[in-house]
Amino acid sequence: MGLRELITDVWSWLDYKPAMADPRRPRRNTWAELTRSWVPDEDLRRLAAYRLLAAYDSNQAGQVAAVTGDDEAGIERRELGDASKLVDTALGYLLGSQQVISVAGAEHTDDEPTAEAAAALAVQDKLRAWAEKEMLPLRLQQAERTAILLGDAVYTLAWDPGKGRVLLRTWDPGLYFPEWPEDGEQDGAEFPLRVHLAWELPEDKRRGLKARLRRVTYELGAIGPASRRGAAKDGSPTREYLYTESGDPVLVTGDARNADTGLITRTYPWAPTRRSPWTCYLTDAEWDLDDLKYADLLYDLPMHKARYRVRSDGEVLDRLDLMTDFIPVIHITNSIPGSGEHWGKPTVATILQALDELSATDTDSSGASATTGSPIIGLAGARLPIDRATGQPLPIKVRAGTVWQLNDNGRMDVLDTSAQLAELRARVDHILDRIAANSRLTAAGLGTLDPTALPSGYALQLALGPLDSLVAAMRLARNHKYVVLLRMVQRLHQAGQAEAWPAGESLPARLMWGPHTPTDRAAVLDEVVKGVGAGVLSVETGVRMLIDAGYPIDDAQTEIERIQARAFEAAARLADATGDSAAVREYLGLSEADSDVPSVPLVPATDS
């Protein structure tokens, strides 16, 4: 069948799959939910790509090929988990040995830290405590594996009044539908003004519920009047806005309204000197699928047919004012998007055809191993046992210890397929080498390289060069997104008036990745000792190098204080240089000495 249409977009590397040509086309309707009327046409190829990639991860690519007509024998295809292994390997190298939240200025060695350094250290401690409660390493594993497999991942943040902290959740990117302005600049660094999370809820006959569509919408809009819970004509919960008897809007405490323009502005805790006219609204509603027509797309569903959900504190989620000027949704891309694009590219994107070749070769190898282990045998001139009832020769079965009597000219021939099996196994090794090279995970990174093939550690470093560049690019695509995530965490705590969270501008915080390849810890330790001892490296820098090398140091500042508490030679030099014993005691972490001279009782003199 010839090519009918050439499509070039972010998912063109999957165009060799018939299911990607037109997901709505009959016989290629692999997933019925993609053909629902509410799914926008511009998102169909993205959703189909996610499903195909998920099939590779779960060893179901052959089944998809059989369903779509790509390979009728696909259901017999052998899939041995190669795609899943590549994803897990890339995930391990991306995350490294550990992930640490670091706030600029928090790691200091000054005897008298400044107020800025103390504030940075306090925010760092709070962020790390929050990360522990929200199981940030677990969430990272969930989101980043999805990003490596599908190319994209999604986080959401929400303030929970009951727990008194921000909740972090990960989402399937197939539920994520950002809405971009038609006249806006399409760039990967821009953020959408409206975001939807949508999925279908199955019919529940026991509870009498029909099949429904649920949509959660975050939207930036102009600040409106104060609102409260109300009820629609049918008694369903809704939100009503408050106005005075004269028709003026009732304002939320702290808001201000311009009498001339009618514009309402607000001062947020993270920008106390600047008033903003924007806020984020949250809407969470459901629609019965039977009520939706073909023209009702996700972006413009009929709101008069919506049923709004109610939060645990009684707030109706109908344009609920979140009291923030940003959308608390973070979209993670696995790669740096191209110019004008927003979606990432999975690690296995360019090697899917190689994985198909590997699966086909494994299938052929399985068949060849069957004929090699149980070969086809040809007998000539053999005296075969006869079935006395029918007079026909009995079927021949090859078993251990079986003896056949042959005539004088009889012979036995065995079909030897071991050469073909060896060739297939060599082809498997060849395909694996191509996969390792083209994915940039390298044979050394996948653990398939013979250690004796590398004469030196420098040769190993050169062999890992493509892996180093791959990990650097993946981390570069994520660094800014995690800076934004940690900034949002700070601001949501401020908006929720969390205990002991200071007001003011958010401090720059970063997620520091651990080393992705083994490091020579002894060499790093020797380098730190020499550098700090010679005075060309500070203790702070030395401790950070040890942390990056994988030494079990939980907190850099605490470690520095412990080192100084035992640095008696440095304390002696400080005493010689300053002559200030108080400074020496503070350097060693000792309490101030009592300066009072103790009184000595005098024995009264007696006359001799």
Side-chain angles (χ1 to χ4, degrees):
M1 184 176 64
L3 183 65
R4 295 185 177 182
E5 184 180 5
L6 178 63
I7 302 176
T8 303
D9 58 10
V10 185
W11 302 278
S12 297
W13 41 268
L14 261 177
D15 281 349
Y16 76 100
K17 293 288 186 181
M20 288 294 294
D22 185 1
R24 293 194 191 274
R25 188 174 179 180
R27 273 188 58 84
R28 294 177 179 173
N29 181 14
T30 314
W31 304 283
E33 56 268 29
L34 295 187
T35 63
R36 299 292 191 185
S37 61
W38 61 269
V39 179
D41 290 341
E42 58 268 27
D43 290 299
L44 285 177
R45 281 175 56 83
R46 175 172 66 92
L47 299 182
Y50 290 162
R51 294 303 179 88
L52 281 170
L53 292 166
Y56 275 89
D57 185 49
S58 57
N59 292 341
Q60 292 180 303
Q63 299 177 28
V64 173
V67 171
T68 58
D70 185 20
D71 184 4
E72 295 181 357
I75 196 171
E76 304 295 334
R77 186 185 297 179
R78 296 290 187 271
E79 298 180 68
L80 307 181
D82 296 285
S84 179
K85 175 190 174 183
L86 291 172
V87 172
D88 291 335
T89 302
L91 175 65
Y93 286 123
L94 168 67
L95 297 181
S97 57
Q98 62 179 350
Q99 306 84 44
V100 179
I101 296 176
S102 176
V103 177
E107 298 172 355
H108 57 83
T109 58
D110 298 333
D111 295 334
E112 296 182 359
T114 62
E116 292 78 7
L121 182 59
V123 171
Q124 178 176 277
D125 292 340
K126 290 182 180 298
L127 286 175
R128 290 181 178 180
W130 167 83
E132 182 176 358
K133 292 180 181 178
E134 282 300 302
M135 300 180 292
L136 181 60
L138 174 64
R139 304 296 182 188
L140 283 173
Q141 291 269 354
Q142 290 176 336
E144 292 301 346
R145 192 183 192 281
T146 302
I148 292 173
L149 173 63
L150 305 182
D152 305 283
V154 178
Y155 290 107
T156 60
L157 297 168
W159 171 253
D160 189 332
K163 295 183 178 180
R165 69 172 186 268
V166 176
L167 302 184
L168 175 67
R169 295 294 180 265
T170 60
W171 293 79
D172 183 344
L175 310 179
Y176 174 68
F177 299 89
E179 195 169 347
W180 303 92
E182 295 182 358
D183 57 346
E185 180 183 0
Q186 298 295 307
D187 186 77
E190 299 295 327
F191 293 91
L193 298 179
R194 198 179 187 203
V195 168
H196 305 282
L197 299 170
W199 65 98
E200 290 188 9
L201 300 174
E203 181 182 5
D204 190 344
K205 295 182 179 180
R206 183 178 61 85
R207 299 171 57 191
L209 298 175
K210 298 180 180 180
R212 293 146 290 151
L213 169 65
R214 183 177 176 183
R215 190 187 74 177
V216 179
T217 301
Y218 296 88
E219 181 180 7
L220 284 179
I223 299 175
S227 61
R228 65 185 179 187
R229 176 171 179 167
K233 294 180 180 180
D234 59 356
S236 59
T238 185
R239 181 166 295 278
E240 62 178 16
Y241 293 94
L242 304 179
Y243 292 89
T244 62
E245 295 181 356
S246 59
D248 295 330
V250 177
L251 303 182
V252 177
T253 304
D255 291 356
R257 179 172 178 266
N258 188 307
D260 297 329
T261 62
L263 185 66
I264 301 176
T265 57
R266 177 181 300 163
T267 301
Y268 291 102
W270 48 87
T273 61
R274 176 176 56 87
R275 301 194 68 86
S276 172
W278 299 99
T279 189
C280 180
Y281 294 102
L282 170 64
T283 302
D284 189 351
E286 295 179 1
W287 288 262
D288 288 337
L289 290 179
D290 295 339
D291 294 339
L292 300 181
K293 300 179 181 179
Y294 187 79
D296 295 331
L297 295 178
L298 170 69
Y299 300 129
D300 52 1
L301 294 174
M303 301 308 297
H304 65 279
K305 297 181 180 180
R307 295 188 302 274
Y308 299 103
R309 298 175 69 92
V310 180
R311 205 167 61 178
S312 58
D313 58 356
E315 290 286 357
V316 180
L317 300 181
D318 173 17
R319 286 182 61 84
L320 175 66
D321 190 347
L322 297 181
M323 305 296 290
T324 63
D325 59 351
F326 57 88
I327 295 178
V329 179
I330 299 92
H331 172 215
I332 301 292
T333 58
N334 182 57
S335 61
I336 300 174
S339 177
E341 297 291 347
H342 303 279
W343 307 105
K345 189 175 183 180
T347 301
V348 297
T350 56
I351 57 171
L352 284 183
Q353 296 190 52
L355 291 174
D356 290 341
E357 289 286 335
L358 182 61
S359 177
T361 305
D362 285 335
T363 303
D364 295 340
S365 178
S366 177
S369 64
T371 58
T372 301
S374 300
I376 299 174
I377 299 176
L379 292 175
R383 298 177 181 178
L384 303 178
I386 303 297
D387 188 347
R388 296 180 178 180
T390 61
Q392 299 295 326
L394 292 174
I396 300 176
K397 296 182 179 180
V398 180
R399 296 177 180 175
T402 301
V403 177
W404 290 302
Q405 295 181 357
L406 304 179
N407 296 331
D408 293 340
N409 295 328
R411 72 179 190 273
M412 181 179 69
D413 297 322
V414 179
L415 180 63
D416 185 8
T417 60
S418 59
Q420 290 83 353
L421 178 60
E423 179 64 25
L424 287 172
R425 289 179 175 175
R427 177 170 170 77
V428 168
D429 294 337
H430 169 70
I431 296 175
L432 287 175
D433 290 339
R434 290 286 296 272
I435 289 175
N438 293 346
S439 66
R440 295 197 291 169
L441 289 173
T442 71
L446 291 173
T448 59
L449 183 65
D450 184 4
T452 60
L454 297 174
S456 64
Y458 183 70
L460 175 60
Q461 187 176 359
L462 292 177
L464 291 174
L467 176 62
D468 295 340
S469 63
L470 172 66
V471 173
M474 293 171 66
R475 291 181 175 181
L476 178 61
R478 292 160 167 81
N479 284 340
H480 175 66
K481 296 299 181 68
Y482 283 107
V483 170
V484 173
L485 186 147
L486 294 175
R487 183 190 305 146
M488 289 183 180
V489 170
Q490 297 180 60
R491 294 183 175 182
L492 286 174
H493 278 99
Q494 291 175 335
Q497 298 180 356
E499 183 179 358
W501 277 85
E505 295 186 4
S506 304
L507 299 182
R510 303 180 63 87
L511 184 66
M512 308 299 293
W513 311 92
H516 64 279
T517 54
T519 55
D520 190 348
R521 295 172 60 176
V524 173
L525 178 60
D526 182 65
E527 182 180 358
V528 169
V529 171
K530 292 180 179 179
V532 175
V536 296
L537 289 178
S538 66
V539 178
E540 177 185 4
T541 302
V543 171
R544 188 180 294 112
M545 292 173 60
L546 295 178
I547 293 176
D548 294 339
Y551 279 86
I553 300 175
D554 296 329
D555 184 83
Q557 180 60 26
T558 303
E559 189 69 18
I560 292 171
E561 293 175 355
R562 292 172 180 170
I563 294 174
Q564 291 181 347
R566 297 169 176 82
F568 300 113
E569 293 182 1
R573 291 194 297 270
L574 178 62
D576 294 339
T578 63
D580 188 350
S581 60
V584 174
R585 297 185 67 87
E586 184 177 358
Y587 178 82
L588 294 174
L590 302 176
S591 59
E592 295 183 2
D594 189 1
S595 60
D596 295 336
V597 178
S599 59
V600 179
L602 300 177
V603 179
T606 57
D607 296 334
S608 55

